[in-house]
Amino acid sequence: MAFSTITPVLLCGGSGTRLWPLSRKSYPKQFVPLVGEETLFQASAKRLAGQDNGLDFSAPMVLTNSDFRFIVTEQLQAIGIDPGAILIEPEGRNTAPAILAAALRVMDTDPEAVMLVAPSDHVVPDAAAFHAAIQAGLPAVEAGDLVTFGITPTRPETGYGYLELSAQPEGSAPVKLSKFVEKPDAEKASAMLDAGNYLWNAGIFLFKAKDIVAAFETFCPDLVGPVQAAVDEAKTDLGFLRLAPEAWSKAEDISIDYAVMEKAPNLSVVPFTGGWSDLGGWDAVWREAGPDANGVVTSGEATAIDCTNTLLRSDSDNLEVVGIGLDNVMAIAMNDAVLVADMSRAQDVKKAVDALKKKKASQATHFPKDHRPWGWFESLVVGNRFQVKRIMVHPGGSLSLQSHFHRSEHWIVVEGTARVTCDDEVKLVTENESIYLPLGCVHRMENPGRVPMVLIEVQTGAYVGEDDIVRYEDIYARS
């Protein structure tokens, strides 16, 4: 069988607030191993790689933001996938501008190219079944249709939008779409489940580059100019393609459904009966994790005693979560935040994030562990005039050459070896050795070894904020 080449486009700029405290703006759910050992982003990339069922996937195109660009490359490298273009969105403008930018980029090389656009935070356990659904949609794509995938509903779900089909689905054969339906209430969701011609809207699309661009030109023409300019004026930066900020800011903040799909007459839906979840809440994580006979799921250092229909999760090695006599409760604990709620209120977790933002709590958006292109650091203790951090640097990683106005630093290496620059001196500091960096010195830390390097940093001074950094050189081109 001849293989049909498909360009995967992975969207990974969302924040996933309904999975707080594990998913936050600084490190959202697509980069976290929520179900299984791989992250959702890694699983999505692997699902759309290689050859299977008559399909041949090219290198994935990824759309993300500047903060996540190195996380994307690091996680793809970890699973042996070389990305194609990684497009950096200057700011989030919803799915329509992102998908149009990807299509215009693909159009530059092949207007006939078939694109598969998918969020990077969905769970699809049976990749072969999903590939079969893609194969079923290709004839409609060849005929010029825009194809979306609808999930056969298994319950009257109120957290998803629906697709109303023009006829009852038969297997995986494409069916013309009648209309999109917004998230329903429980009564309407039950009625649609009984009707049989409604599917969950998965937000996954298959089309030719030229056809989706033509649809934008017809149904959302005001978006084409700014996005085209953002692509044309894009700048290459360390292998990333940064879309032009000024042009991008003029693009409307609008979803692909509102911009094109709800207006296009040439829309077909491929029914998909395999397992699927967008993990849009902790109740979805509970379902996907496979509850035991009592409906209990535990993860990490968690213990359930006489509990039913309960999710207990600890994402800290040093924090034990114990539930006794709980029913229909979810409890998720991290080093700096704990969520306890009735399972039926899973969709309301985003209200907690809003409340924390109003009180200016850092936990609303940021983790104690801060990921950087060279590795990560976490604050262990913060005082009035001091801070203690643990820092991990990847093999070959290097912090910028920098200085500080308000603090001095003391570094103690506890794992591996650091190459330290302090003004004109460069020296190796190995395990159980330390070095003092006085206020104002120009310094840098590198890991010249083949294993991760870990050190403890003690900062002292009048101000220990992250913005007290003057960068002179940086291999990651950060300003």
Side-chain angles (χ1 to χ4, degrees):
M1 173 184 279
F3 282 90
S4 299
T5 301
I6 294 176
T7 300
V9 177
L10 294 172
L11 308 176
C12 58
S15 58
T17 55
R18 287 176 294 179
L19 288 178
W20 185 89
L22 189 64
S23 176
R24 307 186 200 181
K25 183 180 179 181
S26 68
Y27 203 72
K29 68 174 181 175
Q30 58 265 33
F31 301 121
V32 177
L34 272 163
V35 180
E37 298 298 318
E38 294 174 334
T39 70
L40 301 178
F41 172 66
Q42 288 174 317
S44 298
K46 286 180 71 172
R47 188 163 56 247
L48 302 177
Q51 297 179 342
D52 183 51
N53 196 42
L55 304 176
D56 182 10
F57 294 103
S58 63
M61 178 182 292
V62 180
L63 283 101
T64 188
N65 64 42
S66 186
D67 291 341
F68 303 152
R69 66 194 190 281
F70 293 108
I71 299 173
V72 164
T73 53
E74 180 183 318
Q75 293 204 353
L76 288 177
Q77 184 180 29
I79 57 173
I81 292 179
D82 268 334
I86 298 179
L87 275 59
I88 307 300
E89 299 176 73
E91 58 182 304
R93 308 300 289 170
N94 217 316
T95 53
I99 292 171
L100 177 56
L104 291 170
R105 177 75 178 174
V106 172
M107 278 270 288
D108 285 343
T109 54
D110 183 9
E112 297 289 332
V114 177
M115 302 168 58
L116 190 286
V117 179
S120 60
D121 55 0
H122 290 185
V123 173
V124 183
D126 191 343
F130 185 61
H131 294 167
I134 295 172
Q135 189 68 259
L138 286 175
V141 170
E142 287 298 321
D145 276 7
L146 309 176
V147 172
T148 187
F149 295 83
I151 311 301
T152 303
T154 56
R155 60 187 182 277
E157 176 62 56
T158 59
Y160 300 149
Y162 284 70
L163 306 169
E164 181 182 349
L165 307 184
S166 60
Q168 292 285 342
E170 296 182 9
S172 58
V175 183
K176 288 294 183 181
L177 179 75
S178 285
K179 65 178 181 181
F180 286 80
V181 180
E182 296 291 339
K183 295 177 182 178
D185 58 26
E187 183 179 354
K188 188 173 182 181
S190 294
M192 290 191 293
L193 181 65
D194 294 338
N197 65 319
Y198 290 86
L199 305 177
W200 292 334
N201 182 7
I204 304 171
F205 303 99
L206 185 70
F207 38 62
K208 288 186 179 180
K210 68 173 186 179
D211 292 331
I212 189 62
V213 171
F216 274 104
E217 291 171 340
T218 301
F219 302 110
C220 197
D222 291 345
L223 198 61
V224 177
V227 175
Q228 181 73 70
V231 173
D232 291 343
E233 299 165 17
K235 304 293 184 184
T236 302
D237 174 14
L238 293 178
F240 306 103
L241 189 69
R242 288 184 176 273
L243 299 171
E246 185 175 351
W248 189 254
S249 68
K250 297 174 183 176
E252 183 181 0
D253 186 330
I254 186 171
S255 74
I256 185 72
D257 287 353
Y258 286 132
V260 170
M261 297 301 173
E262 293 187 359
K263 304 169 185 175
N266 58 329
L267 193 65
S268 293
V269 182
V270 172
F272 181 62
T273 57
W276 171 89
S277 174
D278 72 344
L279 290 187
W282 285 111
D283 54 341
V285 174
W286 171 79
R287 277 192 298 270
E288 290 300 316
D292 66 14
N294 294 316
V296 172
V297 170
T298 59
S299 177
E301 305 304 319
T303 302
I305 300 172
D306 297 331
C307 295
T308 53
N309 304 320
T310 288
L311 170 65
L312 299 178
R313 180 178 181 122
S314 171
D315 278 271
S316 171
D317 292 337
N318 300 315
L319 199 158
E320 291 281 349
V321 175
V322 179
I324 302 175
L326 302 177
D327 179 54
N328 211 48
V329 169
M330 51 190 192
I332 296 88
M334 302 191 70
N335 282 341
D336 66 332
V338 178
L339 170 71
V340 181
D342 191 275
M343 193 81 77
S344 65
R345 303 294 298 274
Q347 295 300 309
D348 290 335
V349 171
K350 56 187 176 183
K351 294 181 180 178
V353 178
D354 292 339
L356 291 174
K357 285 180 179 177
K358 286 180 181 177
K359 62 188 290 188
K360 301 188 184 314
S362 63
Q363 290 92 333
T365 54
H366 286 80
F367 281 107
K369 181 180 286 187
D370 200 326
H371 291 262
R372 297 297 169 93
W374 42 259
W376 52 260
F377 70 84
E378 61 179 338
S379 296
L380 303 178
V381 182
V382 181
N384 216 16
R385 292 177 56 88
F386 74 93
Q387 180 172 203
V388 181
K389 291 181 178 179
R390 178 169 59 163
I391 299 175
M392 189 282 290
V393 183
H394 295 303
S398 172
L399 280 69
S400 60
L401 186 66
Q402 59 186 251
S403 66
H404 309 296
F405 286 118
H406 303 291
R407 69 175 185 256
S408 60
E409 295 175 344
H410 190 185
W411 293 345
I412 305 100
V413 176
V414 293
E415 291 182 27
T417 298
R419 180 190 292 123
V420 178
T421 299
C422 181
D423 289 329
D424 295 330
E425 182 184 8
V426 179
K427 64 180 295 186
L428 294 178
V429 182
T430 60
E431 288 182 12
N432 207 30
E433 293 182 342
S434 64
I435 186 170
Y436 175 69
L437 304 166
L439 176 71
C441 78
V442 177
H443 59 278
R444 184 193 337 247
M445 176 200 314
E446 304 167 80
N447 180 359
R450 296 184 179 180
V451 297
M453 183 269 291
V454 180
L455 60 78
I456 302 300
E457 176 182 86
V458 180
Q459 304 175 352
T460 56
Y463 179 70
V464 292
E466 284 305 305
D467 53 349
D468 180 25
I469 296 177
V470 179
R471 286 195 176 100
Y472 304 97
E473 295 176 8
D474 184 48
I475 66 173
Y476 308 107
R478 294 170 297 170
S479 60

